Amino acid sequence: MIAQKFINALEAWLVDEVAGKERLVVGLERQENALVNGTAEEIGAATRAIEAEISQELDRSRRREVIFARLGAHWNVAPVALTLGSIAERAGQSGARIEELRDRLRLLVAESLRRNRRVARLVHVHQSVVQETLTALVGSQGAMTETGALFDARM
């Protein structure tokens, strides 16, 4: 009975984690679209939404650690040795939903990593274009790295 209580808590955590990853993927997609077609305000709003979601991940991570510690103590296993798959296996039929949620979480994590890489590439390309433009305006890249270097934008 005690283990079922922890399994239910794990399922609730997984539901929250999946929802959080879905929000993160949507936020990254929004940020990517804003970087390509949006305004500075849209980029800022998307970035703030991602930051808010990431801050919530810390709380969910702490909840997961507590749940894993309690399950580990119940089964006399080190919490670090537990995985969602091993918990689902130990839980038997009660773990079927955990497996479903684990698979969904795995897909969302892969998607968020893919989108995060795309956003990073877009930012890098944007930075390179700005750097090239400034180099063309100032005349050399070395002049731009000097502290306090100014140029006349009316040129």
Side-chain angles (χ1 to χ4, degrees):
M1 191 57 134
I2 292 173
Q4 187 59 49
K5 176 182 168 185
F6 299 143
I7 297 298
N8 293 345
L10 182 63
E11 276 188 38
W13 168 79
L14 270 167
V15 168
D16 287 347
E17 187 68 17
V18 166
K21 289 294 185 242
E22 287 172 341
R23 288 189 299 270
L24 182 61
V25 168
V26 168
L28 287 166
E29 182 178 8
R30 182 176 162 205
Q31 188 178 46
E32 180 181 346
N33 290 335
L35 284 167
V36 173
N37 301 314
T39 63
E41 292 80 23
E42 291 170 328
I43 294 169
T47 301
R48 285 187 297 279
I50 290 169
E51 288 171 348
E53 188 54 46
I54 289 172
S55 72
Q56 291 176 9
E57 283 190 9
L58 296 174
D59 293 334
R60 289 193 304 267
S61 177
R62 287 185 199 107
R63 280 179 48 207
R64 184 197 72 238
E65 289 173 4
V66 169
I67 294 166
F68 274 50
R70 290 181 178 164
L71 284 168
H74 178 76
W75 287 319
N76 294 321
V77 175
V80 295
L82 292 174
T83 64
L84 292 174
S86 71
I87 293 170
E89 187 176 312
R90 288 174 189 269
Q93 272 188 318
S94 299
R97 178 103 168 104
I98 291 172
E99 287 189 31
E100 292 171 18
L101 291 166
R102 177 198 63 182
D103 293 343
R104 177 73 179 137
L105 184 60
R106 182 179 288 151
L107 291 173
L108 288 166
V109 167
E111 178 65 14
S112 68
L113 288 172
R114 187 183 71 77
R115 288 206 175 269
N116 197 32
R117 282 189 223 108
R118 287 175 55 96
V119 166
R121 279 195 305 268
L122 284 169
V123 168
H124 178 73
V125 167
H126 183 276
Q127 184 181 27
S128 295
V129 168
V130 169
Q131 186 72 31
E132 287 177 25
T133 303
L134 290 174
T135 300
L137 289 171
V138 174
S140 75
Q141 196 166 6
M144 288 189 324
T145 58
E146 292 179 20
T147 304
L150 298 175
F151 64 93
D152 187 354
R154 296 174 293 184
M155 294 173 38

mmCIF file with all atom_site columns, all heavy atoms in Angstrom, residues 25-36:
data_model
loop_
_atom_site.group_PDB
_atom_site.id
_atom_site.type_symbol
_atom_site.label_atom_id
_atom_site.label_alt_id
_atom_site.label_comp_id
_atom_site.label_asym_id
_atom_site.label_entity_id
_atom_site.label_seq_id
_atom_site.pdbx_PDB_ins_code
_atom_site.Cartn_x
_atom_site.Cartn_y
_atom_site.Cartn_z
_atom_site.occupancy
_atom_site.B_iso_or_equiv
_atom_site.pdbx_formal_charge
_atom_site.auth_seq_id
_atom_site.auth_comp_id
_atom_site.auth_asym_id
_atom_site.auth_atom_id
_atom_site.pdbx_PDB_model_num
ATOM 1  N N   . VAL A 1 25 ? 8.717  23.141 -25.033 1.00 0.00 ? 25 VAL A N   1
ATOM 2  C CA  . VAL A 1 25 ? 8.790  22.974 -26.494 1.00 0.00 ? 25 VAL A CA  1
ATOM 3  C C   . VAL A 1 25 ? 8.017  24.090 -27.192 1.00 0.00 ? 25 VAL A C   1
ATOM 4  O O   . VAL A 1 25 ? 8.502  24.677 -28.167 1.00 0.00 ? 25 VAL A O   1
ATOM 5  C CB  . VAL A 1 25 ? 8.277  21.575 -26.915 1.00 0.00 ? 25 VAL A CB  1
ATOM 6  C CG1 . VAL A 1 25 ? 8.061  21.498 -28.412 1.00 0.00 ? 25 VAL A CG1 1
ATOM 7  C CG2 . VAL A 1 25 ? 9.247  20.489 -26.464 1.00 0.00 ? 25 VAL A CG2 1
ATOM 8  N N   . VAL A 1 26 ? 6.832  24.411 -26.684 1.00 0.00 ? 26 VAL A N   1
ATOM 9  C CA  . VAL A 1 26 ? 6.049  25.509 -27.267 1.00 0.00 ? 26 VAL A CA  1
ATOM 10 C C   . VAL A 1 26 ? 6.808  26.828 -27.135 1.00 0.00 ? 26 VAL A C   1
ATOM 11 O O   . VAL A 1 26 ? 6.862  27.630 -28.074 1.00 0.00 ? 26 VAL A O   1
ATOM 12 C CB  . VAL A 1 26 ? 4.655  25.594 -26.599 1.00 0.00 ? 26 VAL A CB  1
ATOM 13 C CG1 . VAL A 1 26 ? 3.936  26.886 -26.963 1.00 0.00 ? 26 VAL A CG1 1
ATOM 14 C CG2 . VAL A 1 26 ? 3.807  24.395 -26.995 1.00 0.00 ? 26 VAL A CG2 1
ATOM 15 N N   . GLY A 1 27 ? 7.418  27.047 -25.981 1.00 0.00 ? 27 GLY A N   1
ATOM 16 C CA  . GLY A 1 27 ? 8.203  28.265 -25.781 1.00 0.00 ? 27 GLY A CA  1
ATOM 17 C C   . GLY A 1 27 ? 9.390  28.356 -26.722 1.00 0.00 ? 27 GLY A C   1
ATOM 18 O O   . GLY A 1 27 ? 9.677  29.424 -27.270 1.00 0.00 ? 27 GLY A O   1
ATOM 19 N N   . LEU A 1 28 ? 10.083 27.239 -26.916 1.00 0.00 ? 28 LEU A N   1
ATOM 20 C CA  . LEU A 1 28 ? 11.221 27.233 -27.838 1.00 0.00 ? 28 LEU A CA  1
ATOM 21 C C   . LEU A 1 28 ? 10.763 27.467 -29.274 1.00 0.00 ? 28 LEU A C   1
ATOM 22 O O   . LEU A 1 28 ? 11.428 28.175 -30.038 1.00 0.00 ? 28 LEU A O   1
ATOM 23 C CB  . LEU A 1 28 ? 11.991 25.917 -27.722 1.00 0.00 ? 28 LEU A CB  1
ATOM 24 C CG  . LEU A 1 28 ? 12.825 25.770 -26.459 1.00 0.00 ? 28 LEU A CG  1
ATOM 25 C CD1 . LEU A 1 28 ? 13.268 24.324 -26.271 1.00 0.00 ? 28 LEU A CD1 1
ATOM 26 C CD2 . LEU A 1 28 ? 14.021 26.698 -26.497 1.00 0.00 ? 28 LEU A CD2 1
ATOM 27 N N   . GLU A 1 29 ? 9.629  26.891 -29.628 1.00 0.00 ? 29 GLU A N   1
ATOM 28 C CA  . GLU A 1 29 ? 9.083  27.115 -30.971 1.00 0.00 ? 29 GLU A CA  1
ATOM 29 C C   . GLU A 1 29 ? 8.718  28.586 -31.142 1.00 0.00 ? 29 GLU A C   1
ATOM 30 O O   . GLU A 1 29 ? 9.010  29.202 -32.177 1.00 0.00 ? 29 GLU A O   1
ATOM 31 C CB  . GLU A 1 29 ? 7.851  26.236 -31.184 1.00 0.00 ? 29 GLU A CB  1
ATOM 32 C CG  . GLU A 1 29 ? 7.246  26.369 -32.567 1.00 0.00 ? 29 GLU A CG  1
ATOM 33 C CD  . GLU A 1 29 ? 6.048  25.460 -32.767 1.00 0.00 ? 29 GLU A CD  1
ATOM 34 O OE1 . GLU A 1 29 ? 5.579  24.833 -31.794 1.00 0.00 ? 29 GLU A OE1 1
ATOM 35 O OE2 . GLU A 1 29 ? 5.579  25.380 -33.909 1.00 0.00 ? 29 GLU A OE2 1
ATOM 36 N N   . ARG A 1 30 ? 8.113  29.152 -30.119 1.00 0.00 ? 30 ARG A N   1
ATOM 37 C CA  . ARG A 1 30 ? 7.758  30.579 -30.150 1.00 0.00 ? 30 ARG A CA  1
ATOM 38 C C   . ARG A 1 30 ? 9.006  31.443 -30.257 1.00 0.00 ? 30 ARG A C   1
ATOM 39 O O   . ARG A 1 30 ? 9.041  32.423 -31.013 1.00 0.00 ? 30 ARG A O   1
ATOM 40 C CB  . ARG A 1 30 ? 6.979  30.898 -28.876 1.00 0.00 ? 30 ARG A CB  1
ATOM 41 C CG  . ARG A 1 30 ? 6.501  32.298 -28.765 1.00 0.00 ? 30 ARG A CG  1
ATOM 42 C CD  . ARG A 1 30 ? 5.668  32.451 -27.501 1.00 0.00 ? 30 ARG A CD  1
ATOM 43 N NE  . ARG A 1 30 ? 5.545  33.855 -27.160 1.00 0.00 ? 30 ARG A NE  1
ATOM 44 C CZ  . ARG A 1 30 ? 5.313  34.303 -25.952 1.00 0.00 ? 30 ARG A CZ  1
ATOM 45 N NH1 . ARG A 1 30 ? 5.161  33.459 -24.945 1.00 0.00 ? 30 ARG A NH1 1
ATOM 46 N NH2 . ARG A 1 30 ? 5.228  35.587 -25.722 1.00 0.00 ? 30 ARG A NH2 1
ATOM 47 N N   . GLN A 1 31 ? 10.046 31.089 -29.522 1.00 0.00 ? 31 GLN A N   1
ATOM 48 C CA  . GLN A 1 31 ? 11.292 31.847 -29.575 1.00 0.00 ? 31 GLN A CA  1
ATOM 49 C C   . GLN A 1 31 ? 11.929 31.738 -30.957 1.00 0.00 ? 31 GLN A C   1
ATOM 50 O O   . GLN A 1 31 ? 12.410 32.735 -31.498 1.00 0.00 ? 31 GLN A O   1
ATOM 51 C CB  . GLN A 1 31 ? 12.248 31.341 -28.506 1.00 0.00 ? 31 GLN A CB  1
ATOM 52 C CG  . GLN A 1 31 ? 13.489 32.193 -28.360 1.00 0.00 ? 31 GLN A CG  1
ATOM 53 C CD  . GLN A 1 31 ? 14.395 31.697 -27.260 1.00 0.00 ? 31 GLN A CD  1
ATOM 54 O OE1 . GLN A 1 31 ? 14.654 30.487 -27.174 1.00 0.00 ? 31 GLN A OE1 1
ATOM 55 N NE2 . GLN A 1 31 ? 14.880 32.594 -26.422 1.00 0.00 ? 31 GLN A NE2 1
ATOM 56 N N   . GLU A 1 32 ? 11.924 30.544 -31.507 1.00 0.00 ? 32 GLU A N   1
ATOM 57 C CA  . GLU A 1 32 ? 12.493 30.353 -32.844 1.00 0.00 ? 32 GLU A CA  1
ATOM 58 C C   . GLU A 1 32 ? 11.749 31.204 -33.866 1.00 0.00 ? 32 GLU A C   1
ATOM 59 O O   . GLU A 1 32 ? 12.378 31.898 -34.683 1.00 0.00 ? 32 GLU A O   1
ATOM 60 C CB  . GLU A 1 32 ? 12.407 28.873 -33.217 1.00 0.00 ? 32 GLU A CB  1
ATOM 61 C CG  . GLU A 1 32 ? 12.972 28.542 -34.578 1.00 0.00 ? 32 GLU A CG  1
ATOM 62 C CD  . GLU A 1 32 ? 12.832 27.066 -34.911 1.00 0.00 ? 32 GLU A CD  1
ATOM 63 O OE1 . GLU A 1 32 ? 12.550 26.248 -34.014 1.00 0.00 ? 32 GLU A OE1 1
ATOM 64 O OE2 . GLU A 1 32 ? 13.003 26.742 -36.105 1.00 0.00 ? 32 GLU A OE2 1
ATOM 65 N N   . ASN A 1 33 ? 10.419 31.187 -33.827 1.00 0.00 ? 33 ASN A N   1
ATOM 66 C CA  . ASN A 1 33 ? 9.632  31.992 -34.758 1.00 0.00 ? 33 ASN A CA  1
ATOM 67 C C   . ASN A 1 33 ? 9.883  33.481 -34.547 1.00 0.00 ? 33 ASN A C   1
ATOM 68 O O   . ASN A 1 33 ? 9.954  34.247 -35.514 1.00 0.00 ? 33 ASN A O   1
ATOM 69 C CB  . ASN A 1 33 ? 8.145  31.673 -34.607 1.00 0.00 ? 33 ASN A CB  1
ATOM 70 C CG  . ASN A 1 33 ? 7.794  30.295 -35.118 1.00 0.00 ? 33 ASN A CG  1
ATOM 71 O OD1 . ASN A 1 33 ? 8.478  29.737 -35.968 1.00 0.00 ? 33 ASN A OD1 1
ATOM 72 N ND2 . ASN A 1 33 ? 6.737  29.718 -34.575 1.00 0.00 ? 33 ASN A ND2 1
ATOM 73 N N   . ALA A 1 34 ? 10.033 33.884 -33.299 1.00 0.00 ? 34 ALA A N   1
ATOM 74 C CA  . ALA A 1 34 ? 10.296 35.294 -33.011 1.00 0.00 ? 34 ALA A CA  1
ATOM 75 C C   . ALA A 1 34 ? 11.670 35.710 -33.532 1.00 0.00 ? 34 ALA A C   1
ATOM 76 O O   . ALA A 1 34 ? 11.836 36.824 -34.028 1.00 0.00 ? 34 ALA A O   1
ATOM 77 C CB  . ALA A 1 34 ? 10.188 35.557 -31.508 1.00 0.00 ? 34 ALA A CB  1
ATOM 78 N N   . LEU A 1 35 ? 12.650 34.819 -33.416 1.00 0.00 ? 35 LEU A N   1
ATOM 79 C CA  . LEU A 1 35 ? 13.983 35.145 -33.925 1.00 0.00 ? 35 LEU A CA  1
ATOM 80 C C   . LEU A 1 35 ? 13.981 35.302 -35.446 1.00 0.00 ? 35 LEU A C   1
ATOM 81 O O   . LEU A 1 35 ? 14.708 36.127 -35.991 1.00 0.00 ? 35 LEU A O   1
ATOM 82 C CB  . LEU A 1 35 ? 14.987 34.063 -33.523 1.00 0.00 ? 35 LEU A CB  1
ATOM 83 C CG  . LEU A 1 35 ? 15.437 34.098 -32.067 1.00 0.00 ? 35 LEU A CG  1
ATOM 84 C CD1 . LEU A 1 35 ? 16.165 32.811 -31.706 1.00 0.00 ? 35 LEU A CD1 1
ATOM 85 C CD2 . LEU A 1 35 ? 16.316 35.308 -31.803 1.00 0.00 ? 35 LEU A CD2 1
ATOM 86 N N   . VAL A 1 36 ? 13.149 34.532 -36.113 1.00 0.00 ? 36 VAL A N   1
ATOM 87 C CA  . VAL A 1 36 ? 13.115 34.582 -37.580 1.00 0.00 ? 36 VAL A CA  1
ATOM 88 C C   . VAL A 1 36 ? 12.234 35.726 -38.070 1.00 0.00 ? 36 VAL A C   1
ATOM 89 O O   . VAL A 1 36 ? 12.625 36.478 -38.968 1.00 0.00 ? 36 VAL A O   1
ATOM 90 C CB  . VAL A 1 36 ? 12.612 33.229 -38.157 1.00 0.00 ? 36 VAL A CB  1
ATOM 91 C CG1 . VAL A 1 36 ? 12.399 33.315 -39.656 1.00 0.00 ? 36 VAL A CG1 1
ATOM 92 C CG2 . VAL A 1 36 ? 13.583 32.115 -37.821 1.00 0.00 ? 36 VAL A CG2 1
#
